[in-house]
Amino acid sequence: MMRAPYHPGNTDKSMPKITFIEQDGTQHEAVVSIGSTVMEGARDNDIAGILADCGGACACSTCHVYIDPAWVDRLPPKESMESDMLDFAFEPDPLRSRLTCQIRVTEALDGLVVFLPEQQI
Amino acid sequence: MPEQIVIVGAGQGGFQAAASLRQNDSNARITLIGEEPGLPYQRPPLSKSFMKDGDPARLLLRPKTFFEKNQINLVEKSRVSFIDRAIKEVETKSGLRFPYDHLILATGARNTKPPIRNVEAHGLHDLRTLADATAMRSAVGSARHAVVIGGGFIGLEFAAQARAAGIEVTVVEMAPRLMARVVSPGISHLFADMHLAMGTQLVFGQPAVEILSTNNGVASGVLLADGTELEGDMVLLASGVQPNTGLAAAAGLEIDNGIVVDHMLQTADPAIFALGDCAAFPEFCSGKRIRLESVQAATDQARAIARNLTGNPAAYDAIAWFWSDQADWKLQIAGLPKENGETHLIRRNHNTATALWFSDGILTCAETVNAAGEHMAARRLLASGLPVTRSDLEMHEYRLTDYLNSTLKAP
């Protein structure tokens, strides 16, 4: 799969916005490059609740979020490796939990809302 | 006066120490000193996704704005040459001096140069830095036959990428099997079969004795101890690393296969800590002094040191885990085998397997192939501290997820 060139820090108006909401309700709006992953977008915007220890290799589960219910069906489905990793993330939700390193940002994700878990393990 | 914390080494562990310190303490003055140019980046993808996409921006741990916003003083292209413990100050090769209240050594490791003739041959590749990986990517573009010395993670990750790119690949491993230092024989054999099926040639039990070179001195192959000459227009040396301990040793700190630290990751000098590939620490189960080459250990240790320095001390007791991506196979390891350990291999099908290590009948380590759920269950079980016995697992056909679910449901 070809990926769009990826330039963190470059922001323009066509770039999708993703909202990360902490447990206490604090909202962070992140402008994210098309072609990057939601995890990379969080990292580049310094969202503290996303650790991403493995750097996006689907080898840990520390970029776990709960997707806003309105968005769950609008994301590409999970592959089996992601599901397996999520089973043992912190308090996973069978429908809403995702690993952000496995979600590629497209124009269609503009406005995505995700909730951060209480902790990452 | 705010506390001054100096971190030597801007790899993933050093970076994490800076980031976690800032998260826990808004006042400390944090200086992160690294030898390489540019922002701190991740090394694990260099032999994996970077070989495919070649995009250095994806590797960055944080953008430049992060360091500004968090007031982390990043000092690039600087090698610390001296620690003056008496006055608590480090000095760089170029003469810059940084006083410290606490010093964190995250000096990492360097690639081993084994005793092979002509090991300084021009064009011989090894992989440690982004610059090394960039040179390798460019060489792969025009190579026809790559010879890889060393059948460990990096050698095999590269071999799979090069093979997928259509290049002939030969891997030379001195030991009788692949990844002998880190996985059990059954897993080694599974991976050998996978690499052979890709068309990679594997040569075992033969040390490389010389890097062959052209008349211009450019690496052109490898001579083995039995006289075999392997020709290759790209040669990669991937035969392991050794910890960077020279700076600490010169400062009089104890070295034993790494900078010696206690369970709080503190050296005998209470102002100095060490983490990651360069640190030798007491493993919390056995108490045995070990050193791990693992990005997880480096980042978990960085977080532990940050807690210790910001009034929330706790011993380092994270479960070690590792991974390697080779072709479309994912190897994951949770925990560590013990010396008296024995293994039990369960093959689920041609590309899914688990090898479990038991010591005195208790689970200590799980190696999984394409079984992420089993890996995560192993981490959860090992972290629980409760003994998981071989007979417990036998009742669940050695399926860790099933066993874990049964214990979670138990009253």
Side-chain angles (χ1 to χ4, degrees):
Chain A
M1 184 178 72
M2 286 297 290
R3 289 211 284 232
Y6 171 57
H7 300 293
N10 260 3
T11 55
D12 71 55
K13 285 176 187 144
S14 68
M15 288 167 68
K17 288 191 186 63
I18 298 176
T19 303
F20 295 83
I21 304 179
E22 289 182 45
Q23 287 277 310
D24 67 3
T26 311
Q27 299 200 5
H28 304 271
E29 197 170 82
V31 178
V32 178
S33 308
I34 289 172
S36 68
T37 65
V38 174
M39 178 280 285
E40 288 168 333
R43 182 190 68 191
D44 296 344
N45 285 276
D46 194 18
I47 308 294
I50 301 281
L51 300 182
D53 279 345
C54 78
C58 202
C60 65
S61 62
T62 61
C63 66
H64 168 216
V65 298
Y66 305 108
I67 304 294
D68 184 276
W71 278 88
V72 169
D73 294 333
R74 295 165 70 179
L75 299 178
K78 284 175 270 202
E79 290 191 16
S80 63
M81 171 115 63
E82 184 186 344
S83 301
D84 285 350
M85 297 298 287
L86 275 169
D87 282 346
F88 297 98
F90 182 76
E91 296 186 352
D93 179 292
L95 290 175
R96 294 176 57 209
S97 285
R98 293 295 302 258
L99 295 181
T100 50
C101 73
Q102 299 302 303
I103 306 173
R104 184 77 53 194
V105 176
T106 61
E107 282 171 24
L109 261 57
D110 187 30
L112 174 67
V113 177
V114 304
F115 294 83
L116 296 164
E118 192 183 325
Q119 58 171 287
Q120 301 283 3
I121 55 172
Chain B
M1 179 99 173
E3 186 178 22
Q4 307 210 63
I5 300 175
V6 173
I7 303 161
V8 181
Q12 195 156 350
F15 162 79
Q16 188 62 52
S20 295
L21 280 164
R22 177 55 76 226
Q23 210 174 358
N24 302 354
D25 179 359
S26 51
N27 290 320
R29 295 177 66 174
I30 301 169
T31 301
L32 178 60
I33 307 173
E35 273 186 89
E36 290 179 64
L39 298 169
Y41 62 89
Q42 307 163 67
R43 290 187 208 283
L46 291 177
S47 50
K48 306 180 182 81
S49 58
F50 180 78
M51 281 293 142
K52 278 185 210 153
D53 67 34
D55 188 350
R58 301 194 95 88
L59 302 175
L60 296 182
L61 285 156
R62 289 290 185 282
K64 193 166 193 296
T65 48
F66 172 86
F67 297 88
E68 294 157 3
K69 197 171 88 185
N70 287 289
Q71 295 186 11
I72 293 167
N73 178 24
L74 176 65
V75 183
E76 299 170 34
K77 292 183 271 188
S78 292
R79 184 188 175 92
V80 171
S81 54
F82 182 64
I83 304 170
D84 189 334
R85 288 169 55 192
I87 59 167
K88 290 189 170 181
E89 194 171 83
V90 298
E91 185 176 330
T92 67
K93 212 172 161 186
S94 58
L96 296 173
R97 288 166 162 267
F98 299 93
Y100 65 83
D101 295 304
H102 285 107
L103 177 66
I104 300 173
L105 299 175
T107 47
R110 65 186 178 281
N111 292 337
T112 303
K113 290 266 186 219
I116 298 176
R117 289 194 299 276
N118 197 25
V119 77
E120 302 298 332
H122 188 69
L124 174 66
H125 291 270
D126 69 333
L127 178 57
R128 191 80 209 147
T129 64
L130 175 58
D132 297 335
T134 305
M136 279 169 61
R137 267 198 103 238
S138 134
V140 166
S142 58
R144 298 216 310 253
H145 191 154
V147 180
V148 178
I149 302 172
F153 283 3
I154 288 183
L156 293 173
E157 287 170 5
F158 171 77
Q161 301 267 4
R163 193 68 205 108
I167 297 165
E168 297 289 313
V169 181
T170 306
V171 176
V172 182
E173 171 53 55
M174 194 160 64
R177 60 186 178 91
L178 298 177
M179 304 178 281
R181 199 169 58 92
V182 284
V183 297
S184 56
I187 300 294
S188 292
H189 296 141
L190 272 174
F191 271 85
D193 289 346
M194 184 272 281
H195 284 282
L196 289 169
M198 288 186 84
T200 299
Q201 295 186 54
L202 304 176
V203 181
F204 291 107
Q206 281 297 322
V209 293
E210 181 177 343
I211 305 298
L212 304 170
S213 50
T214 62
N215 294 337
N216 319 335
V218 177
S220 64
V222 176
L223 174 68
L224 303 181
D226 68 357
T228 309
E229 290 191 6
L230 299 169
E231 278 184 37
D233 48 3
M234 176 172 186
V235 183
L236 171 67
L237 182 59
S239 55
V241 300
Q242 53 197 115
N244 289 325
T245 55
L247 183 66
L253 297 170
E254 187 187 357
I255 308 297
D256 175 17
N257 180 37
I259 303 166
V260 172
V261 293
D262 65 13
H263 61 291
M264 306 299 278
L265 305 166
Q266 197 166 27
T267 67
D269 181 335
I272 305 180
F273 293 74
L275 64 81
D277 289 16
C278 70
F281 65 98
E283 199 269 322
F284 77 100
C285 293
S286 62
K288 206 180 139 199
R289 187 177 287 161
I290 62 166
R291 188 177 67 77
L292 296 175
E293 293 155 13
S294 147
V295 87
Q296 164 273 327
T299 53
D300 279 342
Q301 290 172 1
R303 292 187 185 106
I305 293 173
R307 282 196 303 274
N308 292 343
L309 288 181
T310 51
N312 191 14
Y316 175 71
D317 62 357
I319 296 295
W321 56 267
F322 312 83
W323 85 98
S324 176
D325 294 332
Q326 297 172 32
D328 57 353
W329 282 26
K330 185 178 289 291
L331 168 66
Q332 291 170 295
I333 303 169
L336 296 166
K338 289 188 184 170
E339 267 165 24
N340 65 345
E342 49 189 70
T343 52
H344 182 83
L345 178 74
I346 311 102
R347 283 192 74 157
R348 303 289 179 201
N349 58 46
H350 77 284
N351 69 349
T352 312
T354 302
L356 302 175
W357 283 90
F358 295 95
S359 282
D360 304 321
I362 306 292
L363 180 73
T364 65
C365 175
E367 303 160 358
T368 55
V369 182
N370 301 322
E374 292 291 282
H375 169 73
M376 293 301 283
R379 277 167 56 184
R380 184 73 75 87
L381 288 166
L382 292 168
S384 75
L386 301 170
V388 178
T389 67
R390 190 166 182 156
S391 50
D392 288 338
L393 290 176
E394 201 173 357
M395 285 191 289
H396 293 269
E397 296 175 336
Y398 294 97
R399 288 181 198 276
L400 301 176
T401 42
D402 288 0
Y403 173 72
L404 178 59
N405 286 329
S406 76
T407 61
L408 294 176
K409 279 174 201 142

